[in-house]
Amino acid sequence: MATLFQNIFASIFFLLKNIKLLIVVIVLLAVIALILGKVYQGWDDDPDRGAIAIANGTFGENYSTPIYLDQGWSANDSLWFYNTTQGSALLPYDFFLALEQENSTDLFRDNQNIDRYRYLPQKPTFFNPEGFPVGFVQETYKGKDYIGYTCAACHTGQVNYQGTAIRIDGGPAMADMVGFLTGLEKSMLATQQQPQKKQRFVQNVLELSNDYSTAQEILQSLDQWTRTIRLYNTVNHSHIDYGYARLDAFGRIYNRVLQHMINKPQLATAMKLAVSPIGNRILTNQQIDKVLDGIGENIIVDKQFGLVFERLASKENGYPGLNQRDLLRVRNQVFNEADAPTSYPFLWDIAQSDYVQWNGVANNSGVGPLGRNTGEVIGVFGILDWTSHEKNGFSLSAILTGQEKLKQQVDFTSSIDLTNLRRLESHLKSLQSPVWPREILGEIDLAKAQRGQVIYAKYCLSCHEVIERNNWDRLVVAKMSDIGFIGTDKAAAVNGVAYSGKSGNLKHTVQSTDVGDLVIEENAPVIQILTSATKGVIGTPDADKYIVRRWLDRLYDIGSSFFDNTIRNTIKNGNYKSDTTSSPYNSLLAYKARSLNGIWATAPYLHNGSVPSLYDLLLPQEERPSEFMVGSREFDPVKVGFRAQGYDGFRYTTMRIGDKNTGHEYGAGRTPQLNGEVLPALDEAQRWDLIEYIKTL
């Protein structure tokens, strides 16, 4: 018996010893990988950071090779941010290389065309050998190559002044994403329909010798991807024109989640409820059955949903042949109109902020940043290979989404790269706001700025704290203002709470909120569906990695995101309605104020980009421009904003909900401070003093 126990203890000791050895090996491999990753990250150090000069640019803007201000990033820091994939897959990589413009043989990715949509052209560098624009990158998923967006596409800005261009890392893009995607759809349709264009496209793709080997394969894929892009544009069609420099990102994220969660019975029910203006059903039961013939019972992927919309619009083979208006009426039963565009937020200090997003929806503590960024990639074309299957053992994603006891469970496999999302968030910790470049934009009048500092302390400081831009330990506290209190356009905040849709397999699962647990119903607020779906993606290992590494990486990403995050889980600051058991999302009917360091480089202003300059923002609402041009990067250093007249850009009008320029009238003596006090209106001299001080932030 003694010998038996000795053998058992010896075996346990041997096992523990080897487990310790295994842990040491894993830690050493992780350290080596980290060191090699840092070395690799530093290989792309082009002194121009890939930036190029543009002649004959859009709106007559010609500029020399852009320069960079000191924002705490080196050349390789910028280039790594521009070219690190997050798992976005907009289009097959080969297609983007070969696709021509709709009415030209010039490539769609030609720099002049890219500049027309106000993305930022680049030259080839080590991480970007094809010279894609800032924020476009090659993504590889399940053995196939794609082109997709990186964070930098929407969060890299540029300011031009008298021929000198200043690239702003982390600044809001001037991009017209809707115009870009519409142009992409038109170019793909033209490639399908024009024989010579189609022939050139097929030949150019074949010459790449990459993912396609036959013409038939290329044309089948072209049909599929054209349908997918067309579906996306139809689902997100809005009566509000976005123009340049803004996007309804949340509306589009919501719609992508709904598209991939609704099941076939729920879709059929929704289609039955689509009616004409006089109340008649648009589709008969027989038409619905025909349109949905062969469509998956549970998760309906892009390819199938694209086919559904194609069948709805087709007049062939007995399909209903809906016109655009009726097609949108059917759309509205499944999705929500993405009609609340907002400016692209600037990213400096985001890693040091307690709450983020315009409505403060994202708590930045714990694994919050990982969830926030996962939701973002869902919106910008992450491949969502979500499938439904019979319960078959342990599933972390099922536990996180409340599906662990369901017979049928959704698996949230996707192309979303959580490892890179964690690395990108960490990378942003070292990004600093840009300082006003006096040698380019002019000296700051210090006497006026000193007077302006006093005004700022009285009128602005309670919401917009002043921080040290280079303080590693800085914390940026969001000050929330209820939409009824601040008075700015309410569409974005209201949509975030009010929009609903079919919950698919998440029906009757339970989700936690700050005021208690709730049941997700079949018709549920999309914020609930998105929250669960995001958890599911986080809990699903990377399909492109072998089984041991996929689980180790996923656990490390979640653990590291939690333990490396110094932001504490605190309640929101400001003036807003509290969440209640009957209204658990009340606090989201508000907008966030944050520090204004670097604000000079982020026009136009207010959350929806409805005010062209800081000077205009200090005026009473009726004196602010009711219409102005957007799209130019030419800077106005006096009013502090971009050129707003004198060129044929996007004409922004402020008449409709979603576009309104109301509210935030502190300088006009109308909007009360957080303590309820209404201060006197600023006079003209005080406005200019305040603007001069804001330039120093």
Side-chain angles (χ1 to χ4, degrees):
M1 183 66 70
T3 303
L4 176 61
F5 281 115
Q6 288 174 352
N7 289 336
I8 292 174
F9 284 125
S11 298
I12 293 173
F13 178 77
F14 177 79
L15 181 61
L16 291 173
K17 182 179 178 181
N18 281 276
I19 290 175
K20 289 180 181 178
L21 180 62
L22 178 61
I23 293 173
V24 170
V25 170
I26 291 173
V27 171
L28 285 174
L29 289 174
V31 171
I32 292 171
L34 180 63
I35 294 172
L36 291 176
K38 288 293 184 182
V39 172
Y40 177 73
Q41 181 174 327
W43 284 357
D44 201 350
D45 58 356
D46 177 75
D48 296 324
R49 309 189 196 200
I52 59 174
I54 289 291
N56 301 317
T58 301
F59 309 131
E61 292 181 3
N62 307 324
Y63 55 86
S64 57
T65 302
I67 64 172
Y68 282 77
L69 306 178
D70 180 9
Q71 292 187 253
W73 278 3
S74 64
N76 55 59
D77 286 331
S78 295
L79 289 166
W80 185 84
F81 177 67
Y82 298 166
N83 300 305
T84 294
T85 178
Q86 54 182 349
S88 171
L90 169 66
L91 201 69
Y93 178 78
D94 298 352
F95 285 15
F96 192 70
L97 288 177
L99 186 68
E100 295 175 353
Q101 296 174 40
E102 178 189 10
N103 298 313
S104 169
T105 58
D106 293 336
L107 292 176
F108 190 82
R109 66 186 184 96
D110 177 80
N111 283 342
Q112 296 297 132
N113 196 46
I114 292 300
D115 181 60
R116 183 160 67 94
Y117 296 115
R118 307 270 76 182
Y119 288 107
L120 297 168
Q122 292 281 91
K123 65 185 177 183
T125 63
F126 179 79
F127 286 145
N128 183 20
E130 297 293 344
F132 291 140
V134 168
F136 288 75
V137 70
Q138 181 179 357
E139 159 70 19
T140 300
Y141 176 66
K142 292 187 175 180
K144 299 288 186 180
D145 292 331
Y146 301 90
I147 189 76
Y149 285 106
T150 74
C151 300
C154 299
H155 302 289
T156 306
Q158 185 166 303
V159 171
N160 299 341
Y161 186 63
Q162 298 181 352
T164 298
I166 308 167
R167 191 66 58 84
I168 308 293
D169 279 337
M174 187 60 76
D176 175 13
M177 182 183 282
V178 175
F180 178 85
L181 294 174
T182 302
L184 187 64
E185 177 189 338
K186 290 179 179 179
S187 292
M188 295 171 75
L189 285 170
T191 303
Q192 287 180 308
Q193 296 165 0
Q194 299 176 24
Q196 291 184 334
K197 189 178 284 289
K198 181 190 295 184
Q199 183 179 2
R200 287 192 301 271
F201 177 77
V202 170
Q203 184 62 36
N204 290 336
V205 170
L206 287 174
E207 288 177 357
L208 294 172
S209 299
N210 188 30
D211 283 343
Y212 298 93
S213 56
T214 68
Q216 182 181 8
E217 189 181 7
I218 294 169
L219 294 176
Q220 288 177 344
S221 186
L222 177 63
D223 289 345
Q224 174 195 328
W225 281 93
T226 302
R227 190 181 295 131
T228 297
I229 297 296
R230 193 173 190 179
L231 166 70
Y232 181 88
N233 288 340
T234 300
V235 165
N236 293 293
H237 176 77
S238 173
H239 77 287
I240 296 291
D241 294 325
Y242 298 4
Y244 298 100
R246 60 184 195 151
L247 184 76
D248 188 349
F250 256 102
R252 289 162 181 257
I253 293 169
Y254 276 12
N255 282 338
R256 285 212 85 211
V257 168
L258 290 178
Q259 177 190 328
H260 287 81
M261 284 308 305
I262 194 170
N263 57 39
K264 187 174 177 177
Q266 291 177 351
L267 178 56
T269 298
M271 294 169 74
K272 291 174 183 178
L273 298 179
V275 296
S276 69
I278 60 173
N280 295 329
R281 275 183 55 178
I282 291 172
L283 297 167
T284 66
N285 289 347
Q286 292 75 18
Q287 287 174 322
I288 292 171
D289 289 341
K290 186 170 182 61
V291 167
L292 297 182
D293 182 45
I295 300 301
E297 290 296 321
N298 292 301
I299 298 297
I300 307 175
V301 296
D302 277 333
K303 183 177 180 180
Q304 291 184 321
F305 230 116
L307 184 60
V308 167
F309 270 73
E310 187 174 89
R311 288 173 173 177
L312 286 170
S314 175
K315 296 180 180 179
E316 300 177 357
N317 302 318
Y319 291 122
L322 300 184
N323 58 36
Q324 182 70 7
R325 289 182 181 274
D326 282 343
L327 189 63
L328 290 177
R329 290 185 178 107
V330 174
R331 187 274 311 260
N332 292 342
Q333 292 299 319
V334 183
F335 303 104
N336 300 282
E337 185 179 348
D339 60 358
T342 63
S343 297
Y344 300 105
F346 53 91
L347 293 190
W348 50 83
D349 305 322
I350 192 171
Q352 292 85 7
S353 298
D354 60 350
Y355 285 86
V356 297
Q357 305 294 7
W358 289 114
N359 62 348
V361 66
N363 185 326
N364 224 19
S365 65
V367 295
L370 200 60
R372 160 171 51 87
N373 290 322
T374 296
E376 175 258 329
V377 187
I378 287 174
V380 290
F381 309 106
I383 296 177
L384 308 179
D385 280 335
W386 299 354
T387 57
S388 182
H389 56 79
E390 294 286 332
K391 181 178 180 181
N392 57 0
F394 174 79
S395 170
L396 179 59
S397 67
I399 293 172
L400 293 175
T401 57
Q403 298 181 90
E404 69 271 22
K405 295 182 180 180
L406 298 183
K407 181 179 179 181
Q408 198 77 16
Q409 296 179 343
V410 171
D411 178 77
F412 290 91
T413 299
S414 73
S415 65
I416 298 172
D417 192 328
L418 262 70
T419 298
N420 278 354
L421 291 180
R422 175 183 55 78
R423 295 168 70 203
L424 285 160
E425 187 74 16
S426 178
H427 191 70
L428 287 168
K429 289 181 179 179
S430 59
L431 179 66
Q432 299 172 12
S433 56
V435 174
W436 180 274
R438 303 183 184 201
E439 68 281 5
I440 300 172
L441 300 181
E443 290 292 332
I444 294 175
D445 186 321
L446 295 181
K448 292 175 68 174
Q450 288 172 1
R451 295 194 298 269
Q453 183 177 15
V454 176
I455 298 169
Y456 187 95
K458 186 176 182 180
Y459 281 77
C460 313
L461 191 60
S462 62
C463 290
H464 302 288
E465 62 180 326
V466 177
I467 65 171
E468 296 179 60
R469 61 186 286 274
N470 56 359
N471 178 6
W472 183 261
D473 297 321
R474 65 190 181 276
L475 174 66
V476 181
V477 178
K479 304 293 178 65
M480 304 303 303
S481 290
D482 182 85
I483 55 176
F485 183 88
I486 191 71
T488 52
D489 189 284
K490 62 183 182 180
V494 170
N495 289 1
V497 172
Y499 275 177
S500 63
K502 301 293 185 181
S503 60
N505 205 61
L506 296 176
K507 177 182 176 181
H508 293 167
T509 59
V510 174
Q511 186 175 113
S512 297
T513 73
D514 289 343
V515 291
D517 294 345
L518 53 77
V519 174
I520 299 178
E521 300 186 53
E522 179 174 332
N523 293 298
V526 190
I527 190 171
Q528 296 175 5
I529 303 169
L530 174 61
T531 299
S532 285
T534 299
K535 292 178 181 178
V537 172
I538 291 175
T540 304
D542 193 329
D544 277 343
K545 297 173 182 175
Y546 62 86
I547 187 166
V548 175
R549 186 186 170 194
R550 72 174 63 166
W551 276 108
L552 287 175
D553 278 1
R554 188 50 41 99
L555 293 174
Y556 178 77
D557 290 334
I558 295 173
S560 178
S561 296
F562 183 84
F563 290 109
D564 289 349
N565 191 347
T566 60
I567 304 296
R568 300 287 298 275
N569 184 13
T570 56
I571 62 173
K572 292 177 183 175
N573 200 305
N575 186 324
Y576 58 91
K577 293 185 178 72
S578 298
D579 295 331
T580 66
T581 53
S582 60
S583 300
Y585 304 110
N586 252 350
S587 63
L588 301 183
L589 295 172
Y591 291 121
K592 178 194 67 173
R594 57 183 282 187
S595 177
L596 298 185
N597 51 307
I599 197 70
W600 64 269
T602 66
Y605 298 103
L606 292 184
H607 73 277
N608 62 344
S610 60
V611 180
S613 73
L614 286 179
Y615 175 81
D616 294 316
L617 187 59
L618 298 178
L619 297 173
Q621 184 270 331
E622 66 272 13
E623 295 181 28
R624 296 169 181 171
S626 59
E627 63 176 50
F628 57 94
M629 292 296 177
V630 182
S632 173
R633 295 194 184 100
E634 186 65 22
F635 194 68
D636 179 352
V638 179
K639 288 188 173 182
V640 186
F642 291 114
R643 178 169 57 135
Q645 301 294 341
Y647 68 101
D648 189 21
F650 170 73
R651 185 176 298 277
Y652 190 115
T653 59
T654 61
M655 306 304 294
R656 297 179 294 187
I657 293 176
D659 291 331
K660 287 186 175 295
N661 64 354
T662 55
H664 197 281
E665 295 181 90
Y666 298 98
R670 295 177 179 175
T671 304
Q673 299 287 313
L674 289 178
N675 62 7
E677 180 184 7
V678 178
L679 299 174
L682 300 176
D683 61 30
E684 188 73 357
Q686 288 174 316
R687 293 188 192 113
W688 291 117
D689 288 347
L690 179 55
I691 288 172
E692 206 71 9
Y693 173 68
I694 292 175
K695 292 178 183 179
T696 70
L697 297 177

